Amino acid sequence: EPEVTQTPSHQVTQMGQEVILRCVPISNHLYFYWYRQILGQKVEFLVSFYNNEISEKSEIFDDQFSVERPDGSNFTLKIRSTKLEDSAMYFCASSEGLVPEAFFGQGTRLTVV
Amino acid sequence: AQKVTQAQTEISVVEKEDVTLDCVYETRDTTYYLFWYKQPPSGELVFLIRRNSFDEQNEISGRYSWNFQKSTSSFNFTITASQVVDSAVYFCALSEWYSGGSNYKLTFGKGTLLTVNP
């Protein structure tokens, strides 16, 4: 069964460093998403991406965040200068589009120290 | 704006008990989708079910059943004869079609931690 793959599963970084979280969506999907879950809290929408551009972003997704699809298969989330409060589980999701069945990756746990 | 409320923060039951997880949603759209996800201790989000707003038929899948009532804006989830492996956080989520951004983003509730004790 096709699945969304995220790497790494866990990343530890120092405050102020840049991190890139990687995702390989399901191959025929057209819509891509990043969500964030701070430990013990709900899953929150960060950004959606369609047709090589951001289609919607939340207020959490400020100038420190960026997304891109560099090569037609990977979908990345970059945090330019990490803060302690960026520590969270980051989930990538993808969907075909017309039906909102979002398939989630297993998540990347980001720890900022 | 869409909103999902899961009023039960934690529920603890003994194995074989039935348990119902509540979900109440708010939306201004007539077309929307409702979801339940399971998050076991390992952290991944496991898709359980999707319903669209035009289909109020209740659904049963093994020990799981879902009761969708538009009149009360509720989409409750019942586990029959609970098992220890059902212990997890369960999230209810709502999706509307956001035509301005051309996407179906999900709005999650805060989740209910279900603990099933042997």
Side-chain angles (χ1 to χ4, degrees):
Chain A
E1 188 174 320
E3 59 181 18
V4 177
T5 306
Q6 290 185 242
T7 54
S9 55
H10 190 190
Q11 178 148 5
V12 181
T13 189
Q14 289 205 322
M15 195 167 53
Q17 294 295 304
E18 174 184 285
V19 294
I20 297 176
L21 309 184
R22 302 180 193 279
C23 169
V24 178
I26 295 173
S27 62
N28 63 333
H29 285 185
L30 301 175
Y31 295 79
F32 314 110
Y33 307 83
W34 284 101
Y35 290 82
R36 180 182 83 173
Q37 184 184 30
I38 294 172
L39 186 65
Q41 297 187 24
K42 69 177 178 179
V43 180
E44 299 174 289
F45 169 76
L46 286 179
V47 66
S48 59
F49 192 86
Y50 169 71
N51 201 24
N52 284 318
E53 61 183 21
I54 290 174
S55 52
E56 189 184 355
K57 58 184 181 180
S58 71
E59 60 273 13
I60 302 169
F61 194 88
D62 62 22
D63 292 342
Q64 293 297 313
F65 292 90
S66 61
V67 289
E68 64 174 2
R69 194 157 153 77
D71 55 13
S73 61
N74 289 287
F75 178 51
T76 62
L77 173 69
K78 183 194 290 187
I79 309 175
R80 252 179 282 283
S81 177
T82 49
K83 308 185 192 79
L84 294 176
E85 54 264 36
D86 294 326
S87 295
M89 180 79 98
Y90 289 82
F91 290 102
C92 173
S94 70
S95 66
E96 284 183 290
L98 293 180
V99 178
E101 182 134 16
F103 292 80
F104 282 83
Q106 79 280 19
T108 293
R109 184 167 297 285
L110 175 66
T111 303
V112 182
V113 296
Chain B
Q2 50 192 29
K3 184 179 175 184
V4 176
T5 301
Q6 294 180 255
Q8 303 149 311
T9 307
E10 292 187 39
I11 299 176
S12 183
V13 299
V14 177
E15 211 169 15
K16 297 185 184 164
E17 280 185 36
D18 298 348
V19 58
T20 294
L21 309 182
D22 297 334
C23 173
V24 173
Y25 63 91
E26 292 176 31
T27 176
R28 288 175 293 191
D29 274 14
T30 55
T31 302
Y32 53 89
Y33 294 81
L34 295 161
F35 300 77
W36 276 95
Y37 286 87
K38 175 182 179 180
Q39 187 174 45
S42 49
E44 72 271 24
L45 287 168
V46 178
F47 168 81
L48 296 177
I49 190 171
R50 179 192 75 226
R51 299 302 269 177
N52 74 55
S53 51
F54 299 110
D55 183 1
E56 284 193 74
Q57 222 174 7
N58 291 333
E59 180 152 341
I60 298 175
S61 175
R63 296 184 298 107
Y64 295 170
S65 63
W66 291 270
N67 183 314
F68 176 26
Q69 292 199 340
K70 284 177 79 170
S71 60
T72 55
S73 297
S74 65
F75 186 44
N76 297 337
F77 173 31
T78 297
I79 302 174
T80 303
S82 58
Q83 299 176 2
V84 173
V85 294
D86 296 327
S87 296
V89 179
Y90 290 86
F91 290 98
C92 180
L94 166 68
S95 181
E96 302 167 333
W97 173 251
Y98 176 60
S99 57
S102 300
N103 77 91
Y104 275 116
K105 72 174 185 183
L106 289 168
T107 297
F108 285 80
K110 290 186 177 180
T112 298
L113 171 62
L114 174 65
T115 303
V116 182
N117 299 297

